[in-house]
Amino acid sequence: MIKGVRVASYDGSLVTMTDGKSIPASTLIWPAGVKPSPVIAPLPGQKERGRLLVNEFLGVPGVTGLWAVGDCAAVPDSKTGRFHPPTAQHGLREGLVVAKNIEAAILGRPLNPFVFTTLGQLATIGRRTGVAMVFGIKFSGFVAWVLWRTVYLMKLPRLPKKLRVMVGWTLDLFFARDIEQMLTLRDVEALSDLAGRIRARAARQTLTARASMPEAVVHDQLK
C-alpha cells in the first residue's frame, strides 16, 4: 500500500503517481468514489459526507435561496430512505427540477419534489468487456460493453466530438492501441483544424466579395 500520493495518469501499461514514481501494470482497478468540490465546505447548511444535505425540493433547509444538485448534493430518496447516487443520470434530472423550483420560488408557486428511479448502471472492465444492470437485469461481456459505448456516445455534446470518438473507437476495432491513438489524436485533430480554417477562409472571402460589390447590388441580394 502506498500512502500520501495519487494516480496522475495511466497509459495502459504504466501507472504514474503524483510524486513522479511509476508502477508497471496491465490491469488498473479504480475503487475510489466521487469527491464533492472543496468549495462546498464553507457554505452554510448541514453536510452529509461533504455534500450539502437538501430536502426533496433540492433546497438546503434553513438557508433561503441555496440549492444543490449533482455531486454537491446529498439528495434523499423517499422510496429507499437513502440518498440518490451522484451519477450523471441523476444530476441531469436534478438540474431540470431545481431550475423549475427556483422559478416557482420566485413566482410564489408550489415546488415539485425530485422523484427518480435509477435506469441502470454501465461500466467497462476491460478490452471489449463490460458489466451492466438495466432495469434490474444484470449482464456482462461484449453486449454490456457495446451498450456502455452506445450510451456514452449518445451523451457526448456536439457533433464534432461524437465523430472524433466514433473514429477512435472504429480504429480501435481493427488496429492496436498505439496506432488508434496516433490516428485519433493527430490525423483527426489535423483534419478538424483544417476544416475549421477552410470554413473561416470561405467566410472571409464571402465578406470581402460583398464589401467590393456596389451598394445597390448588395441591397438587391439581401431582399
Side-chain angles (χ1 to χ4, degrees), residues 141-194:
F142 181 76
V143 175
W145 177 77
V146 171
L147 182 60
W148 173 82
R149 283 203 161 187
T150 302
V151 174
Y152 182 90
L153 189 63
M154 290 173 57
K155 298 296 183 181
L156 280 178
R158 298 172 48 235
L159 181 60
K161 183 175 293 186
K162 290 184 178 181
L163 293 176
R164 188 177 305 170
V165 173
M166 287 179 61
V167 170
W169 285 354
T170 302
L171 293 172
D172 179 63
L173 293 174
F174 302 100
F175 300 99
R177 178 176 297 178
D178 54 347
I179 297 179
E180 179 267 325
Q181 289 180 345
M182 178 185 67
L183 291 173
T184 300
L185 296 178
R186 294 182 180 179
D187 295 350
V188 177
E189 291 280 359
L191 289 174
S192 299
D193 294 340
L194 178 61

Side-chain angles (χ1 to χ4, degrees), residues 42-91:
L43 293 178
Q46 184 178 346
K47 308 296 193 305
E48 176 67 30
R49 295 186 177 181
R51 296 180 173 87
L52 280 169
L53 181 64
V54 299
N55 53 29
E56 66 273 24
F57 306 112
L58 304 177
V60 178
V63 185
T64 304
L66 183 58
W67 313 75
V69 296
D71 298 344
C72 300
V75 183
D77 187 347
S78 58
K79 297 181 180 179
T80 63
R82 294 177 292 183
F83 294 100
H84 286 286
T87 61
Q89 60 180 301
H90 291 81

Side-chain angles (χ1 to χ4, degrees), residues 28-50:
L28 181 65
I29 301 175
W30 179 42
V34 179
K35 184 179 180 181
S37 173
V39 301
I40 301 300
L43 293 178
Q46 184 178 346
K47 308 296 193 305
E48 176 67 30
R49 295 186 177 181

